[in-house]
Amino acid sequence: MKKLFIIANWKSNKTLDEAKDWLNKFSDHLKSESIDLSNKEIIICPSFTLLGFLSDLNRSLNLPIKLGAQDISPFDQGAYTGEIYGGQIKELADYAIIGHSERRQNFNESDETIFKKADQARKFAVIPVFCIQNENTTIPENISVIAYEPPSAIGTGHPDTPENADKIAEMVKSKYNTQFVLYGGSVKSENVKSFSDMPNIDGFLVGGASLNPSDFFQIVKNA
């Protein structure tokens, strides 16, 4: 049975109270329904303001969840106002999303900047979840987790086909010797199984559907 990464990208959403409510409701779902999580790595990626709070709450609830950051500074510690460097992230999270198309588009992030972020993540033993938009996206060396997210599928309700996503995942694995390729883009509980059944897809980066704990639980359950 292959390992599946199921990542919730909350983007710029949720207050402290809303995050607490989400985690408590997700905990209730896990307790009320017995599902096999032995091959599933559940990762929540909230805003930076929520990482410390969720780290403590997750520990108190004793949930099978890990945390990730939605970004990471391309710089080490120092005079970089507004940046969160890798050493700070590692205290609270094990993963960091890097190169998401929203950051490429809205913040004009270049390949050079994104590659620096990947280097900083590895320096501090934070696992990069490196996002690509297609098979031609440039990928740095030694990336173990890649997330294929076609921009046309993000938040549109029009996902890629499982067959095409699997084809791209196979190409990426062959070209870059990457161990895990995830799919992201309009992932829902109704279609998640059709993607996880593909031989080269190793999990999901979930956006809008991760904001509701019941919806996200069904994705975890059905994957």
Side-chain angles (χ1 to χ4, degrees):
M1 186 181 296
K2 66 180 178 181
K3 181 175 182 176
L4 290 174
F5 295 81
I6 307 174
I7 304 176
N9 179 15
W10 285 358
K11 306 187 180 183
S12 187
N13 291 288
K14 298 199 180 299
T15 62
L16 289 171
D17 285 342
E18 290 168 345
K20 180 179 180 180
D21 181 67
W22 190 101
L23 209 63
N24 280 318
K25 288 181 178 177
F26 189 76
S27 176
D28 290 341
H29 282 299
L30 288 175
K31 292 175 182 177
S32 63
E33 294 192 50
S34 178
I35 60 175
D36 183 10
L37 298 177
S38 59
N39 69 317
K40 296 175 181 178
E41 181 100 312
I42 304 171
I43 305 162
I44 309 299
C45 296
S47 300
F48 284 126
T49 56
L50 298 172
L51 273 174
F53 172 74
L54 287 179
S55 178
D56 292 338
L57 183 58
N58 184 43
R59 194 177 302 112
S60 68
L61 293 173
N62 194 30
L63 297 178
I65 288 175
K66 292 188 177 179
L67 294 178
Q70 294 179 19
D71 193 22
I72 189 170
S73 175
F75 307 107
D76 208 324
Q77 63 180 320
Y80 303 104
T81 300
E83 290 296 315
I84 313 295
Y85 89 98
Q88 294 170 308
I89 290 174
K90 183 58 181 176
E91 290 183 326
L92 302 170
D94 294 302
Y95 296 86
I97 299 173
I98 296 174
H100 194 283
S101 61
E102 291 168 353
R103 293 205 60 86
R104 294 175 189 259
Q105 177 179 345
N106 297 326
F107 299 95
N108 298 314
E109 290 193 351
S110 65
D111 284 344
E112 180 182 4
T113 296
I114 293 166
F115 276 42
K116 287 180 179 178
K117 290 184 176 188
D119 288 341
Q120 286 296 311
R122 289 192 294 255
K123 176 179 178 179
F124 292 98
V126 176
I127 300 172
V129 179
F130 194 90
C131 297
I132 64 171
Q133 290 67 57
N134 54 57
E135 67 273 23
N136 298 317
T137 303
T138 306
I139 301 171
E141 295 181 354
N142 302 318
I143 296 291
S144 61
V145 182
I146 289 174
Y148 162 57
E149 284 202 308
S152 61
I154 299 174
T156 64
H158 301 291
D160 198 352
T161 65
E163 293 77 16
N164 189 63
D166 186 69
K167 177 182 177 182
I168 290 178
E170 183 179 21
M171 292 169 62
V172 169
K173 287 182 177 181
S174 175
K175 183 176 180 180
Y176 290 97
N177 195 29
T178 295
Q179 186 174 6
F180 303 108
V181 176
L182 320 183
Y183 171 73
S186 298
V187 176
K188 299 180 179 180
S189 59
E190 295 85 1
N191 64 19
V192 67
K193 186 71 163 57
S194 64
F195 285 94
S196 63
D197 281 345
M198 295 291 106
N200 294 291
I201 294 177
D202 306 294
F204 306 94
L205 182 56
V206 186
S210 73
L211 297 177
N212 182 295
S214 298
D215 291 345
F216 187 67
F217 176 80
Q218 288 301 319
I219 289 174
V220 173
K221 180 180 178 180
N222 294 348

